[in-house]
Amino acid sequence: DVKVTQSSRYLVKRTGEKVFLECVQDMDHENMFWYRQDPGLGLRLIYFSYDVKMKEKGDIPEGYSVSREKKERFSLILESASTNQTSMYLCASSSLKVTSDNYSNQPQHFGDGTRLSIL
Amino acid sequence: AQRVTQPEKLLSVFKGAPVELKCNYSYSGSPELFWYVQYSRQRLQLLLRHISRESIKGFTADLNKGETSFHLKKPFAQEEDSAMYYCALRLGGDDKIIFGKGTRLHILP
């Protein structure tokens, strides 16, 4: 069974702090994602990575950066936390399935989420 | 622009009644559609995908390209179906997924 583990369930930080959210998956998945989940706004993609050291901006990358030094770990970094970054953060991973004639991306598996409060 | 629309924020139905959660998408290419579900205090998980054409927990969803819809249906609602449901669209050849804003399904006893 796929396991996506986010290091913290709850985190409280102060405005201006540098915040690290860690995510680890144990299924050797190529793709990893960071979303934030807000009431009335659904899930919004912040960043994703399709390989080690490779990253792509999602829909709302401003104020965030990411790091993927190892395949199993994808870190989300809030460079200088602000109160509007208070949210539930979800990490996800997915694999590439290789068939005889192409690659197809498989459904995403999600972690439990980190509820981050910025005071 | 690519978009997923779930018009209802909250849907309340009585136990045993039919359920239909609406989802419409906007995409000119070949879409891949999913429904994800999040039960209370649990992680978001895949419920079903259109290419599988399966029924999961009694739910089905048919992709209607003419109406650009992927509504989620169940003939008889159960209390354990109460959850947040997200419709999602994956663009062809990409792994980015666009989520709708979600519909909270509340089953009344």
Side-chain angles (χ1 to χ4, degrees), chain B residues 12-45:
Chain B
S12 295
V13 300
F14 285 102
K15 178 181 169 182
V19 172
E20 183 179 43
L21 300 174
K22 290 185 167 48
C23 172
N24 288 89
Y25 67 92
S26 172
Y27 178 51
S28 57
S30 181
E32 186 176 357
L33 277 298
F34 305 83
W35 276 99
Y36 281 83
V37 61
Q38 188 171 30
Y39 300 102
S40 179
R41 297 191 181 87
Q42 293 187 29
R43 65 182 62 187
L44 194 66
Q45 56 187 287

Short mmCIF file of all heavy atoms in Angstrom, two decimals, chain B residues 12-45:
data_model
loop_
_atom_site.label_atom_id
_atom_site.label_comp_id
_atom_site.label_asym_id
_atom_site.label_seq_id
_atom_site.Cartn_x
_atom_site.Cartn_y
_atom_site.Cartn_z
N SER B 12 -27.38 18.03 0.52
CA SER B 12 -27.95 17.22 1.60
C SER B 12 -29.05 16.34 1.03
O SER B 12 -29.96 16.85 0.39
CB SER B 12 -28.52 18.12 2.70
OG SER B 12 -27.51 18.85 3.32
N VAL B 13 -28.94 15.04 1.28
CA VAL B 13 -29.99 14.12 0.83
C VAL B 13 -30.30 13.15 1.96
O VAL B 13 -29.47 12.90 2.83
CB VAL B 13 -29.58 13.34 -0.44
CG1 VAL B 13 -29.29 14.27 -1.59
CG2 VAL B 13 -28.40 12.45 -0.16
N PHE B 14 -31.50 12.59 1.92
CA PHE B 14 -31.88 11.60 2.93
C PHE B 14 -31.29 10.24 2.59
O PHE B 14 -31.10 9.89 1.42
CB PHE B 14 -33.40 11.51 3.03
CG PHE B 14 -34.02 12.68 3.73
CD1 PHE B 14 -34.65 13.69 3.01
CD2 PHE B 14 -33.97 12.77 5.12
CE1 PHE B 14 -35.22 14.77 3.66
CE2 PHE B 14 -34.54 13.85 5.77
CZ PHE B 14 -35.15 14.85 5.04
N LYS B 15 -31.01 9.51 3.63
CA LYS B 15 -30.54 8.14 3.48
C LYS B 15 -31.52 7.36 2.60
O LYS B 15 -32.74 7.45 2.80
CB LYS B 15 -30.43 7.50 4.87
CG LYS B 15 -30.00 6.06 4.88
CD LYS B 15 -29.97 5.57 6.33
CE LYS B 15 -29.81 4.08 6.41
NZ LYS B 15 -29.84 3.60 7.81
N GLY B 16 -30.98 6.63 1.64
CA GLY B 16 -31.82 5.86 0.74
C GLY B 16 -32.23 6.59 -0.52
O GLY B 16 -32.71 5.98 -1.47
N ALA B 17 -32.03 7.89 -0.55
CA ALA B 17 -32.39 8.69 -1.72
C ALA B 17 -31.26 8.65 -2.74
O ALA B 17 -30.10 8.38 -2.39
CB ALA B 17 -32.68 10.12 -1.31
N PRO B 18 -31.56 8.93 -4.00
CA PRO B 18 -30.48 8.96 -5.01
C PRO B 18 -29.61 10.20 -4.84
O PRO B 18 -30.07 11.25 -4.39
CB PRO B 18 -31.23 8.98 -6.34
CG PRO B 18 -32.57 9.55 -6.01
CD PRO B 18 -32.88 9.14 -4.61
N VAL B 19 -28.35 10.04 -5.22
CA VAL B 19 -27.37 11.13 -5.11
C VAL B 19 -26.81 11.43 -6.49
O VAL B 19 -26.49 10.51 -7.25
CB VAL B 19 -26.20 10.73 -4.18
CG1 VAL B 19 -25.11 11.78 -4.21
CG2 VAL B 19 -26.70 10.50 -2.77
N GLU B 20 -26.67 12.72 -6.80
CA GLU B 20 -25.96 13.11 -8.01
C GLU B 20 -25.11 14.34 -7.69
O GLU B 20 -25.65 15.41 -7.36
CB GLU B 20 -26.89 13.42 -9.17
CG GLU B 20 -26.12 13.75 -10.46
CD GLU B 20 -27.01 14.03 -11.65
OE1 GLU B 20 -28.01 14.74 -11.48
OE2 GLU B 20 -26.70 13.53 -12.75
N LEU B 21 -23.82 14.18 -7.75
CA LEU B 21 -22.90 15.30 -7.55
C LEU B 21 -22.44 15.76 -8.93
O LEU B 21 -21.88 14.98 -9.69
CB LEU B 21 -21.68 14.87 -6.72
CG LEU B 21 -21.99 14.35 -5.32
CD1 LEU B 21 -20.75 13.83 -4.65
CD2 LEU B 21 -22.61 15.44 -4.48
N LYS B 22 -22.68 17.03 -9.21
CA LYS B 22 -22.42 17.52 -10.56
C LYS B 22 -20.97 17.98 -10.74
O LYS B 22 -20.36 18.55 -9.83
CB LYS B 22 -23.38 18.67 -10.88
CG LYS B 22 -24.82 18.22 -11.05
CD LYS B 22 -25.70 19.36 -11.48
CE LYS B 22 -27.06 18.90 -11.95
NZ LYS B 22 -27.73 17.96 -11.08
N CYS B 23 -20.47 17.71 -11.93
CA CYS B 23 -19.13 18.17 -12.29
C CYS B 23 -19.14 18.49 -13.79
O CYS B 23 -19.51 17.64 -14.61
CB CYS B 23 -18.09 17.11 -12.00
SG CYS B 23 -16.44 17.52 -12.62
N ASN B 24 -18.71 19.69 -14.12
CA ASN B 24 -18.52 20.05 -15.53
C ASN B 24 -17.09 20.51 -15.72
O ASN B 24 -16.49 21.09 -14.82
CB ASN B 24 -19.49 21.17 -15.93
CG ASN B 24 -20.91 20.68 -16.02
OD1 ASN B 24 -21.66 20.69 -15.05
ND2 ASN B 24 -21.28 20.21 -17.20
N TYR B 25 -16.57 20.25 -16.88
CA TYR B 25 -15.18 20.63 -17.13
C TYR B 25 -15.09 21.42 -18.43
O TYR B 25 -15.99 21.38 -19.28
CB TYR B 25 -14.29 19.39 -17.20
CG TYR B 25 -14.57 18.48 -18.38
CD1 TYR B 25 -13.88 18.64 -19.58
CD2 TYR B 25 -15.52 17.47 -18.28
CE1 TYR B 25 -14.15 17.82 -20.65
CE2 TYR B 25 -15.80 16.65 -19.35
CZ TYR B 25 -15.11 16.82 -20.54
OH TYR B 25 -15.38 16.01 -21.61
N SER B 26 -14.00 22.14 -18.52
CA SER B 26 -13.73 22.92 -19.72
C SER B 26 -12.32 22.56 -20.18
O SER B 26 -11.35 22.86 -19.50
CB SER B 26 -13.83 24.42 -19.40
OG SER B 26 -13.40 25.19 -20.50
N TYR B 27 -12.26 21.87 -21.32
CA TYR B 27 -10.96 21.45 -21.86
C TYR B 27 -11.17 20.99 -23.28
O TYR B 27 -12.01 20.14 -23.55
CB TYR B 27 -10.37 20.32 -21.01
CG TYR B 27 -9.04 19.79 -21.51
CD1 TYR B 27 -7.98 20.66 -21.79
CD2 TYR B 27 -8.83 18.43 -21.68
CE1 TYR B 27 -6.77 20.17 -22.25
CE2 TYR B 27 -7.62 17.94 -22.13
CZ TYR B 27 -6.59 18.81 -22.41
OH TYR B 27 -5.39 18.33 -22.84
N SER B 28 -10.38 21.49 -24.19
CA SER B 28 -10.58 21.19 -25.60
C SER B 28 -9.93 19.88 -26.03
O SER B 28 -10.26 19.33 -27.07
CB SER B 28 -10.04 22.33 -26.46
OG SER B 28 -8.67 22.54 -26.16
N GLY B 29 -9.00 19.37 -25.23
CA GLY B 29 -8.29 18.16 -25.61
C GLY B 29 -8.97 16.91 -25.10
O GLY B 29 -10.18 16.89 -24.87
N SER B 30 -8.18 15.86 -24.93
CA SER B 30 -8.72 14.58 -24.47
C SER B 30 -8.59 14.51 -22.95
O SER B 30 -7.49 14.37 -22.44
CB SER B 30 -7.94 13.45 -25.14
OG SER B 30 -8.43 12.20 -24.75
N PRO B 31 -9.67 14.60 -22.23
CA PRO B 31 -9.58 14.69 -20.78
C PRO B 31 -9.52 13.34 -20.09
O PRO B 31 -9.98 12.33 -20.62
CB PRO B 31 -10.88 15.40 -20.41
CG PRO B 31 -11.86 14.89 -21.42
CD PRO B 31 -11.07 14.68 -22.71
N GLU B 32 -8.94 13.35 -18.91
CA GLU B 32 -9.05 12.20 -18.02
C GLU B 32 -9.68 12.73 -16.73
O GLU B 32 -9.15 13.66 -16.12
CB GLU B 32 -7.68 11.59 -17.74
CG GLU B 32 -7.76 10.30 -16.95
CD GLU B 32 -6.40 9.64 -16.76
OE1 GLU B 32 -5.40 10.16 -17.31
OE2 GLU B 32 -6.35 8.62 -16.06
N LEU B 33 -10.79 12.16 -16.35
CA LEU B 33 -11.54 12.67 -15.21
C LEU B 33 -11.49 11.71 -14.02
O LEU B 33 -11.46 10.48 -14.19
CB LEU B 33 -13.01 12.88 -15.60
CG LEU B 33 -13.43 14.17 -16.30
CD1 LEU B 33 -13.18 15.38 -15.42
CD2 LEU B 33 -12.76 14.33 -17.64
N PHE B 34 -11.49 12.29 -12.82
CA PHE B 34 -11.45 11.53 -11.58
C PHE B 34 -12.46 12.10 -10.60
O PHE B 34 -12.82 13.27 -10.66
CB PHE B 34 -10.08 11.66 -10.89
CG PHE B 34 -8.90 11.29 -11.74
CD1 PHE B 34 -8.34 12.21 -12.61
CD2 PHE B 34 -8.32 10.04 -11.63
CE1 PHE B 34 -7.24 11.88 -13.38
CE2 PHE B 34 -7.22 9.70 -12.39
CZ PHE B 34 -6.67 10.62 -13.26
N TRP B 35 -12.86 11.26 -9.64
CA TRP B 35 -13.52 11.73 -8.43
C TRP B 35 -12.67 11.29 -7.24
O TRP B 35 -12.29 10.12 -7.13
CB TRP B 35 -14.92 11.15 -8.30
CG TRP B 35 -15.96 11.92 -9.05
CD1 TRP B 35 -16.49 11.63 -10.28
CD2 TRP B 35 -16.61 13.13 -8.64
NE1 TRP B 35 -17.42 12.56 -10.64
CE2 TRP B 35 -17.52 13.50 -9.65
CE3 TRP B 35 -16.54 13.93 -7.49
CZ2 TRP B 35 -18.33 14.63 -9.57
CZ3 TRP B 35 -17.33 15.05 -7.40
CH2 TRP B 35 -18.22 15.40 -8.44
N TYR B 36 -12.36 12.27 -6.38
CA TYR B 36 -11.66 12.01 -5.13
C TYR B 36 -12.63 12.26 -3.99
O TYR B 36 -13.53 13.09 -4.08
CB TYR B 36 -10.45 12.93 -4.97
CG TYR B 36 -9.23 12.52 -5.76
CD1 TYR B 36 -9.10 12.85 -7.10
CD2 TYR B 36 -8.20 11.79 -5.16
CE1 TYR B 36 -7.99 12.46 -7.83
CE2 TYR B 36 -7.08 11.40 -5.88
CZ TYR B 36 -6.99 11.75 -7.21
OH TYR B 36 -5.88 11.36 -7.93
N VAL B 37 -12.41 11.55 -2.87
CA VAL B 37 -13.27 11.71 -1.71
C VAL B 37 -12.42 11.89 -0.46
O VAL B 37 -11.32 11.31 -0.35
CB VAL B 37 -14.23 10.50 -1.55
CG1 VAL B 37 -13.47 9.20 -1.36
CG2 VAL B 37 -15.21 10.71 -0.40
N GLN B 38 -12.90 12.73 0.44
CA GLN B 38 -12.22 12.93 1.72
C GLN B 38 -13.24 12.79 2.84
O GLN B 38 -14.10 13.66 3.03
CB GLN B 38 -11.54 14.29 1.77
CG GLN B 38 -10.66 14.50 3.00
CD GLN B 38 -9.84 15.77 2.91
OE1 GLN B 38 -10.24 16.75 2.30
NE2 GLN B 38 -8.66 15.76 3.52
N TYR B 39 -13.16 11.67 3.56
CA TYR B 39 -14.02 11.46 4.72
C TYR B 39 -13.47 12.23 5.91
O TYR B 39 -12.29 12.60 5.92
CB TYR B 39 -14.13 9.96 5.05
CG TYR B 39 -14.70 9.14 3.92
CD1 TYR B 39 -13.86 8.37 3.10
CD2 TYR B 39 -16.06 9.13 3.64
CE1 TYR B 39 -14.38 7.63 2.06
CE2 TYR B 39 -16.58 8.39 2.59
CZ TYR B 39 -15.72 7.65 1.80
OH TYR B 39 -16.23 6.92 0.75
N SER B 40 -14.32 12.44 6.89
CA SER B 40 -13.92 13.25 8.03
C SER B 40 -12.65 12.71 8.68
O SER B 40 -12.54 11.53 8.98
CB SER B 40 -15.07 13.25 9.05
OG SER B 40 -14.71 14.00 10.19
N ARG B 41 -11.66 13.59 8.84
CA ARG B 41 -10.38 13.26 9.49
C ARG B 41 -9.60 12.18 8.75
O ARG B 41 -8.76 11.50 9.36
CB ARG B 41 -10.60 12.85 10.94
CG ARG B 41 -11.19 13.95 11.80
CD ARG B 41 -11.13 13.60 13.27
NE ARG B 41 -11.73 14.65 14.08
CZ ARG B 41 -13.02 14.70 14.37
NH1 ARG B 41 -13.83 13.78 13.92
NH2 ARG B 41 -13.50 15.68 15.11
N GLN B 42 -9.85 12.02 7.47
CA GLN B 42 -9.07 11.06 6.69
C GLN B 42 -8.42 11.79 5.52
O GLN B 42 -8.77 12.91 5.18
CB GLN B 42 -9.96 9.93 6.17
CG GLN B 42 -10.49 9.03 7.26
CD GLN B 42 -11.21 7.82 6.71
OE1 GLN B 42 -10.90 7.35 5.62
NE2 GLN B 42 -12.18 7.31 7.46
N ARG B 43 -7.49 11.11 4.91
CA ARG B 43 -6.80 11.72 3.79
C ARG B 43 -7.66 11.67 2.53
O ARG B 43 -8.57 10.85 2.41
CB ARG B 43 -5.46 11.01 3.53
CG ARG B 43 -5.57 9.56 3.11
CD ARG B 43 -4.20 8.93 2.91
NE ARG B 43 -3.43 8.93 4.15
CZ ARG B 43 -2.15 8.57 4.20
NH1 ARG B 43 -1.51 8.22 3.12
NH2 ARG B 43 -1.51 8.59 5.35
N LEU B 44 -7.34 12.55 1.62
CA LEU B 44 -7.99 12.56 0.31
C LEU B 44 -7.62 11.27 -0.43
O LEU B 44 -6.45 10.87 -0.45
CB LEU B 44 -7.50 13.78 -0.46
CG LEU B 44 -8.26 14.20 -1.70
CD1 LEU B 44 -9.66 14.66 -1.35
CD2 LEU B 44 -7.51 15.33 -2.39
N GLN B 45 -8.60 10.62 -1.01
CA GLN B 45 -8.31 9.37 -1.72
C GLN B 45 -9.12 9.29 -3.00
O GLN B 45 -10.20 9.86 -3.12
CB GLN B 45 -8.61 8.17 -0.82
CG GLN B 45 -10.03 8.13 -0.29
CD GLN B 45 -10.23 7.02 0.72
OE1 GLN B 45 -10.29 5.85 0.36
NE2 GLN B 45 -10.35 7.39 1.98
#
